[in-house]
Amino acid sequence: MSPRFRTPLIAAAGVATISALFLSGCSAPAQSSTGDASGKEVSIDFYYPDQVGTLGTLIDGYLKDFEKEHPEIKVKGVYSGDYDQTLVAVNTAIDANKAPALAIMDQSFMLDLADRDAISSWDDYLTTDEDKKWLDGFYPQFMSNSITADKHVMGVPFARSTIVQYWNKDYFAKAGLDPEHGPATREELLATAHAMQEKAEAKWGLFIPTSTGTAYWLYQALVQQAGGFGALSNPAGDKVTLNTPENVAALEFWASLGKTEKVAPDTEVAWGTSTDDFLAGTTGMLWTTSGRMGTIQEKATFDWGVSALPADIGQGAPTGGGSLMLFNAGVSDEQRAAAVTLARFLTTPERAADVSVKSGYIATSEAAWDTTAMQDHLKKFPQAAAPHAAIADAIPEMATLDRDRVVYETLAPALQSVLLGTADAKTALDDAQAAIDKILSSHK
């Protein structure tokens, strides 16, 4: 998910706009290959989203450096909006047989893209001991969403994240709480939220964004805490687990924050504005992506803390974010090999650390974490250690086949119906389970 600045569904108008953009020739040109591995020039397209507002500028700089180091590979970098808009753009390019050779895609899209034979396995391009060492260097929690059930590598971690909790230390101090430690349990979470409202005059104690496009991601963490199967989907993406007692308890707890505890609004808590709400002091605590840390460290006018989410029966949160994927339609072997070279360049420990320092995404490997730049950053912003530590308990992000129908058209409305008070959790999740079972049965 990452995290995630998604539109709930790609509206027809949005699809048309992006399709027109790409079909106009502005953004999905034919990838000219004027040479091959013998040293002749090769041209490729590279689509990249920017979920947090700082990634695009970084990538533009990396591409300039890449062409200096690899003058035989010409890269056309295409900023492609957010993750959902990037998927629309890629689908449009696939339909025109002009897919980018490489793109940063939301990791949860991988199974659907692989099922459509839209992306290639990295296996054929990573055959040496050095290649294996490169892949083995990424944290296994990030690779868990990158490998199919039959063990093919389909994604390489780039901008990865998890859900963390941020808190306003000023509110904590006014409420008589320890500002250096966030709540570690659900009991402490509720007590802290109430204390900030009652003693520090915070309007709200806790925001857990409920927007349609990201609700499933936050819900995963709540299910994990309730002692359930937080991943929600199996590795093949053809089965989900939604209506166990733990799933129901997790959703009832979430809905209770607005309905009975009154520590959050009983209307939608918007993902897109929740970070601004936290920065404005509207809420004392916020659950959101670690990828928002760059924005918070830049704009917060108060001292703030960050930690892993609190535990209950279970502990942990899903990973999120984007990985590099190799596409098929209209892409030659030479172009795909050039894309692999670009991917290797973009994921060196030094660049992974640079992405983490400047955006808030988590360093994707221990080598990146150990760089001088990362360690210097930690001295200035020790908060950056918390997301890195949270990865130890991270679970895979929910990923299924037929993702739009499963997640956006079925699960998301079910969660919304309970959070907005129009349905009870057991009925909504039973109905969602039955509907998704039917959708996924066509893929078995």
Side-chain angles (χ1 to χ4, degrees):
M1 167 320 122
S2 239
R4 308 298 161 118
F5 193 54
R6 288 194 174 108
T7 50
L9 274 172
I10 298 299
V15 173
T17 300
I18 293 172
S19 297
L21 173 66
F22 280 77
L23 290 174
S24 70
C26 294
S27 302
Q31 294 182 84
S32 60
S33 176
T34 57
D36 54 28
S38 64
K40 297 179 181 177
E41 185 177 289
V42 178
S43 297
I44 62 173
D45 288 352
F46 170 46
Y47 289 8
Y48 60 90
D50 186 353
Q51 298 291 112
V52 296
T54 54
L55 201 58
T57 301
L58 289 178
I59 290 176
D60 289 343
Y62 298 156
L63 293 182
K64 290 178 182 176
D65 292 340
F66 177 77
E67 290 205 358
K68 293 176 184 174
E69 190 170 309
H70 297 275
E72 77 283 6
I73 301 174
K74 302 300 180 186
V75 181
K76 180 168 185 174
V78 178
Y79 167 66
S80 47
D82 63 26
Y83 282 129
D84 281 329
Q85 291 168 335
T86 298
L87 180 61
V88 172
V90 164
N91 283 336
T92 301
I94 289 172
D95 290 343
N97 201 36
K98 298 175 181 177
L102 186 71
I104 300 172
M105 303 297 293
D106 186 308
Q107 192 58 58
S108 64
F109 298 163
M110 183 193 77
L111 293 178
D112 212 18
L113 290 167
D115 188 53
R116 293 163 43 202
D117 197 29
I119 55 176
S120 283
S121 166
W122 291 75
D123 304 357
D124 294 340
Y125 299 90
L126 303 174
T127 57
T128 68
D129 289 343
E130 183 182 353
D131 294 335
K132 186 175 185 303
K133 183 179 178 182
W134 175 61
L135 271 185
D136 288 346
F138 294 107
Y139 288 123
Q141 291 86 349
F142 292 143
M143 289 303 295
S144 66
N145 266 134
S146 295
I147 301 174
T148 60
D150 54 356
K151 307 301 180 187
H152 293 296
V153 176
M154 306 299 283
V156 169
F158 181 73
R160 301 304 306 271
S161 61
T162 190
I163 305 169
V164 292
Q165 64 179 359
Y166 298 92
W167 68 89
N168 182 320
K169 289 188 176 181
D170 290 351
Y171 282 145
F172 268 48
K174 290 178 182 176
L177 303 166
D178 179 359
E180 300 306 317
H181 296 90
T185 66
R186 269 198 190 170
E187 184 177 357
E188 291 180 13
L189 181 72
L190 285 177
T192 300
H194 283 298
M196 284 191 290
Q197 288 177 289
E198 295 164 4
K199 300 178 182 178
E201 299 182 347
K203 182 175 182 180
W204 299 111
L206 171 64
F207 272 13
I208 301 177
T210 61
S211 296
T212 302
T214 53
Y216 77 94
W217 198 48
L218 283 302
Y219 178 59
Q220 284 191 253
L222 291 162
V223 171
Q224 184 73 12
Q225 292 166 7
F229 178 56
L232 302 183
S233 56
N234 67 346
D238 59 4
K239 182 179 179 182
V240 299
T241 303
L242 296 178
N243 60 346
T244 67
E246 293 82 6
N247 289 76
V248 173
L251 188 50
E252 288 176 338
F253 172 79
W254 195 1
S256 76
L257 299 178
K259 289 179 184 175
T260 56
E261 298 292 343
K262 307 294 185 185
V263 296
D266 59 4
T267 53
E268 179 183 354
V269 177
W271 172 270
T273 57
S274 58
T275 301
D276 289 337
D277 291 333
F278 175 70
L279 291 169
T282 305
T283 181
M285 292 185 290
L286 170 66
W287 287 16
T288 192
T289 170
S290 57
R292 287 291 181 192
M293 189 176 297
T295 299
I296 292 173
Q297 72 189 20
E298 177 187 349
K299 297 183 177 180
T301 57
F302 51 84
D303 200 3
W304 52 279
V306 59
S307 73
L309 299 184
D312 195 38
I313 299 171
Q315 185 172 14
T319 60
S323 290
L324 295 156
M325 298 186 194
L326 300 169
F327 282 83
N328 293 331
V331 179
S332 69
D333 287 343
E334 290 78 12
Q335 289 172 314
R336 206 170 293 113
V340 172
T341 301
L342 175 58
R344 295 285 296 260
F345 179 89
L346 291 172
T347 56
T348 63
E350 291 75 20
R351 291 187 185 86
D354 194 49
V355 169
S356 181
V357 166
K358 294 175 180 173
S359 72
Y361 284 112
I362 300 171
T364 51
S365 69
E366 200 66 23
W369 181 252
D370 289 338
T371 58
T372 299
M374 192 75 232
Q375 296 304 308
D376 287 347
H377 177 67
L378 283 169
K379 293 174 184 174
K380 188 175 180 181
F381 290 103
Q383 295 99 322
H388 179 263
I391 286 301
D393 295 315
I395 58 175
E397 182 176 6
M398 179 185 184
T400 70
L401 306 175
D402 225 336
R403 190 175 185 280
D404 278 0
R405 294 172 68 199
V406 169
V407 175
Y408 291 159
E409 297 179 17
T410 308
L411 177 56
L415 297 176
Q416 289 294 311
S417 68
V418 178
L419 294 171
L420 298 178
T422 61
D424 69 274
K426 181 70 167 62
T427 301
L429 292 173
D430 279 345
D431 291 348
Q433 180 76 59
I436 293 173
D437 285 347
K438 186 176 181 180
I439 293 169
L440 293 178
S441 66
S442 64
H443 293 273
K444 294 180 180 176

